[in-house]
Amino acid sequence: MAILTVALTPRGKMIPAAYELLTAGRALADSRKEPLCAAVLGSKAPEFAKNLLERGADKVFTLSDPRLDNFNDELHAKTLAALARKEGLGQILLPATVAGRSLAARLSVLLKAGLASEVCEVRQNGTGLKAKRYQYSGNVVSELEFKSQTQVLTVQAMVFPPAEKQAGRAGEIVPVALDASVESRIEFLSYQPEESSEIDLANAERVVSGGRGLGSAEAFKAIRELAQALGAAVGASRAVVDSGWIAYRHQVGLTGRTVRPKLYLACGISGQIQHLAGMSSSGTIIALNTDPDCPMMQMASISVQGDLNELLPLITAEIKRRRGQS
Amino acid sequence: MKNTPATVNMPVDSATGKLKTAGLSYAMNPFDEYAVEEALRLKERLPGSTATALTLGPDSSCEAVLREAISRGCDAGVLVTGPEFADANPYATSFALAAAVRKLHAEKPVHLLLFGKNTNDGNSGAVGPETAAWLDWPGLTSIKKIDAIDEKSATVWRTVEDGVEVLKVALPAALSTVKEINEPRLASLKGKMAAKKAAIPKWSSADLGLNPRELQAALSSTTVLRYSPPPPRPGGIRVEGATAAEKAKKLVDILVERKLI
Ligand SMILES: Cc1cc2nc3c(=O)[nH]c(=O)nc-3n(C[C@H](O)[C@H](O)[C@H](O)COP(=O)(O)OP(=O)(O)OC[C@H]3O[C@@H](n4cnc5c(N)ncnc54)[C@H](O)[C@@H]3O)c2cc1C
């Protein structure tokens, strides 16, 4: 059975995770000796088809219907389930985004398929499929095995590198019409974007997070300035969010968001377990803190002992200077 | 809602690949507290409505979360239970929960199911949308506000990565909530009394009429082979320096060297 990756295009833009899924899917397809298919949904779908072929898909299904422009949990799931049944698609990979997770869950039931959420590793094992994922907020890795014939997986962001473009790589493009009889009880009313200058935490390669060690809401400005110099998203500890220094969507941790950037700077964050839960699988962790013995300094890849009020402006200036030179 | 370990610092026995759960204390999954609170707020907004707490777990120790929900103001609690539900995956859990909802719905119409965004143990966030799918009800996740609502439909705000979507959903439906939706209340004294006295019905797979073969297929669709601690982090380095300026410069040197900027 062929492998399918799902390319979602919110607001008509391809999400970066779509290319990461192609990397994961390609490896599976090769070990199963099966074709790698991709489905792209929304009225702009045909515009993306060639790119998906060049990045490794053998076949691209374009579902270019305006009813699929905004994510609709029911319509997207019913449409993809029908496609999977018709085309014999056995392993379905989706991004671990808000839409991808909801879609994967509905699809698993429609297809009577086992579901593994936010996997960080997936491999063919004989005739079966095995996957690894984090549980307990990143403190435990579980390895699971699928027994169902069809398998649905969401893939953690930034675990797989994006598939590279091989210009001219060809394949099949198959337009698929949305079944007009499929109904949805969900109606899209409107969309309000986040301030556009900000980088979203979920897909950020770099995150600069501030904690109570900053001392005041005003001092948090230094975090934003460093983040801007680095091209990083802004994160925060719960202590800071609860103090009203920054909005909740920036909170990293157990009751906030999980991030997995290549670089995580924890500035004045003590490293309580609930904060670590959201960021401990980051690539390189840098801790800036006055207390060399706090958990964050102990677990960091690189630790700098010092006062943030002094350090942050100096680091920002140094980065700007280097960037200006290069 | 789910009865989950009160800590995410879960010890693992590396030799056996099992979790060391002995002696752990359990509590309501922190994310479910927002779903319970929202149910109570809707009850207050919509006179005549009631809120029932529903959980699934291997044994009667899971009753505690239902009593907690009642102590905060829920009218009743129902426990779906049986040893087969120890370590049940989200797919099997939602299969059984959907059957319980059908049973409740047959007694008195259910208009809305509320879930937390995910559990602090399994982390999947799939049980809400999967339950909706088994029931063939619409389901929405990541809900931060329930705006207009009546018996027929609800207008809700969904947080997505790049903003907020406003959607209208026909009821009955299932919604998974996020933390921003409210601030959970504590139990009242009156509530605690009610919780103590409440009779909690226990429904087995047989009571729910679950087809044993279908349940078995759901339970084994994915099985955990082993648990392990996350890979160890390589030892850290300390940036030393006489002044803050020197430390800042050295740190940026390392970042450049490691191609991190
Ligand atoms: C159920 C539950 C859920 C939770 N969820 C989350 C969550 O999602 N995310 C989260 O972050 N927390 C969460 N918490 C809270 C968590 O336990 C901690 O309280 C919180 O992370 C602490 O934030 P902090 O590190 O900013 O503050 P603190 O713990 O107060 O640490 C401040 C740090 O700053 C350092 N410092 C002080 N002054 C300076 C200076 N001038 N320069 C440099 N460093 C300085 C100090 O040495 C200290 O290490 C949760 C708690 C509970 C009970």
Side-chain angles (χ1 to χ4, degrees):
Chain A
M1 286 172 104
I3 294 131
L4 180 76
T5 70
V6 178
L8 296 173
T9 59
R11 333 286 159 221
K13 286 199 203 93
M14 177 65 71
I15 59 167
Y19 307 136
E20 299 170 13
L21 294 181
L22 286 175
T23 301
R26 186 75 260 165
L28 268 190
D30 288 348
S31 56
R32 294 177 66 93
K33 302 193 171 51
E34 295 279 1
L36 176 61
C37 305
V40 51
L41 304 91
S43 45
K44 283 193 176 173
E47 294 174 28
F48 298 113
K50 189 163 155 268
N51 191 10
L52 292 165
L53 291 175
E54 288 189 329
R55 290 181 190 259
D58 299 309
K59 196 187 225 182
V60 175
F61 299 105
T62 53
L63 295 108
S64 57
D65 192 299
R67 292 175 73 197
L68 298 171
D69 278 350
N70 292 301
F71 174 61
N72 183 310
D73 308 58
E74 285 191 290
L75 272 190
H76 276 63
K78 286 178 181 166
T79 304
L80 284 172
L83 177 73
R85 281 191 211 103
K86 180 162 170 280
E87 301 287 338
L89 306 167
Q91 289 72 41
I92 303 175
L93 306 181
L94 298 111
T97 57
V98 170
R101 284 192 209 106
S102 177
L103 182 51
R106 286 194 84 87
L107 257 182
S108 78
V109 172
L110 294 177
L111 295 172
K112 302 268 178 283
L115 171 70
S117 308
E118 281 191 67
V119 304
C120 55
E121 198 180 305
V122 52
R123 71 194 154 87
Q124 189 64 29
N125 186 262
T127 52
L129 197 65
K130 284 187 184 175
K132 281 191 183 170
R133 57 185 298 269
Y134 284 92
Q135 289 186 212
Y136 296 92
S137 302
N139 292 310
V140 175
V141 182
S142 62
E143 180 171 17
L144 56 84
E145 184 176 47
F146 285 95
K147 290 274 168 58
S148 55
Q149 239 200 352
T150 305
Q151 296 112 24
V152 176
L153 305 97
T154 60
V155 175
Q156 214 185 9
M158 299 207 292
V159 173
F160 295 92
E164 304 244 342
K165 203 166 171 159
Q166 299 160 252
R169 190 180 178 282
E172 203 180 338
I173 296 174
V174 184
V176 180
L178 175 63
D179 181 349
S181 70
V182 175
E183 285 190 23
S184 163
R185 293 153 289 186
I186 298 167
E187 188 191 338
F188 178 86
L189 298 181
S190 65
Y191 163 71
Q192 181 68 46
E194 224 58 281
E195 306 104 278
S196 57
S197 61
E198 275 182 11
I199 298 172
D200 182 63
L201 273 179
N203 291 307
E205 291 205 348
R206 301 183 191 96
V207 174
V208 180
S209 276
R212 187 152 39 197
L214 284 155
S216 69
E218 291 69 52
F220 205 88
K221 252 201 294 189
I223 295 288
R224 293 191 185 280
E225 282 163 8
L226 177 55
Q228 197 158 29
L230 275 172
V234 174
S237 71
R238 173 159 165 184
V240 161
V241 172
D242 287 352
S243 304
W245 299 356
I246 191 163
Y248 165 68
R249 66 173 186 281
H250 295 276
Q251 182 179 319
V252 172
L254 176 63
T255 44
R257 299 173 68 179
T258 306
V259 296
R260 203 180 188 283
K262 290 191 181 120
L263 180 64
Y264 189 87
L265 269 93
C267 308
I269 299 178
S270 58
Q272 294 304 306
I273 187 81
Q274 295 90 352
H275 188 82
L276 299 182
M279 48 62 72
S280 58
S281 45
S282 304
T284 299
I285 296 169
I286 298 180
L288 309 181
N289 204 303
T290 43
D291 174 7
D293 299 322
C294 71
M296 186 64 84
M297 292 284 271
Q298 296 295 322
M299 68 97 64
S301 332
I302 303 169
S303 60
V304 188
Q305 191 188 347
D307 186 336
L308 289 173
N309 297 310
E310 270 188 273
L311 279 172
L312 286 178
L314 290 166
I315 296 169
T316 305
E318 185 65 20
I319 288 168
K320 281 190 179 160
R321 195 176 65 81
R322 299 291 180 97
R323 290 232 153 146
Q325 276 182 355
S326 56
Chain B
M1 65 181 68
K2 189 177 179 189
N3 192 38
T4 64
T7 174
V8 291
N9 205 2
M10 175 62 72
V12 181
D13 185 331
S14 316
T16 60
K18 293 200 160 59
L19 300 172
K20 294 193 208 167
T21 51
L24 281 180
S25 56
Y26 285 72
M28 188 188 296
N29 166 42
F31 300 109
D32 294 345
E33 297 193 31
Y34 303 96
V36 170
E37 178 62 32
E38 200 55 26
L40 299 177
R41 291 187 186 197
L42 287 173
K43 225 183 96 165
E44 287 155 6
R45 262 168 80 180
L46 306 163
S49 55
T50 58
T52 301
L54 173 63
T55 193
L56 171 146
D59 55 50
S60 47
S61 69
C62 304
E63 250 182 70
V65 285
L66 299 174
R67 296 200 191 273
E68 174 63 31
I70 295 169
S71 75
R72 292 184 195 196
C74 284
D75 300 283
V78 173
L79 173 63
V80 175
T81 190
E84 66 274 28
F85 295 122
D87 279 334
N89 61 33
Y91 184 74
T93 301
S94 58
F95 176 66
L97 285 178
V101 173
R102 265 186 221 110
K103 193 171 152 92
L104 287 168
H105 192 64
E107 286 165 15
K108 182 168 171 264
V110 173
H111 294 91
L112 191 61
L113 299 177
L114 291 165
F115 294 83
K117 86 175 171 104
N118 56 241
T119 54
N120 65 347
D121 55 356
N123 281 138
S124 84
V127 171
E130 284 187 314
T131 304
W134 286 111
L135 291 164
D136 191 24
W137 290 3
L140 294 168
T141 62
S142 199
I143 299 305
K144 76 161 190 179
K145 183 171 175 170
I146 299 176
D147 217 335
I149 181 166
D150 59 28
E151 292 201 337
K152 298 243 155 30
S153 71
T155 304
V156 299
W157 296 26
R158 165 160 73 188
T159 46
V160 291
E161 287 76 8
D162 58 354
V164 177
E165 296 175 342
V166 183
L167 304 142
K168 188 172 174 187
V169 58
L171 302 187
L175 305 178
S176 303
T177 55
V178 290
K179 190 187 151 170
E180 282 165 292
I181 196 166
N182 57 43
E183 196 53 58
R185 72 191 66 185
L186 298 173
S188 66
L189 199 61
K190 187 166 153 254
K192 283 183 184 163
M193 300 293 285
K196 232 181 236 161
K197 278 189 267 163
I200 307 269
K202 294 181 185 63
W203 294 347
S204 68
S205 328
D207 294 331
L208 293 175
L210 299 181
N211 175 331
R213 273 193 31 224
E214 233 182 312
L215 176 61
Q216 199 44 51
L219 286 164
S220 64
S221 62
T222 60
T223 46
V224 174
L225 299 173
R226 68 184 61 82
Y227 295 96
S228 51
R233 301 192 63 82
I237 60 165
R238 250 160 201 273
V239 176
E240 308 284 358
T243 62
E246 201 180 314
K247 287 179 188 170
K249 189 178 167 304
K250 279 193 186 166
L251 173 65
V252 178
D253 281 342
I254 298 172
L255 293 178
V256 171
E257 203 177 290
R258 296 196 183 180
K259 297 191 167 48
L260 288 166
I261 57 174

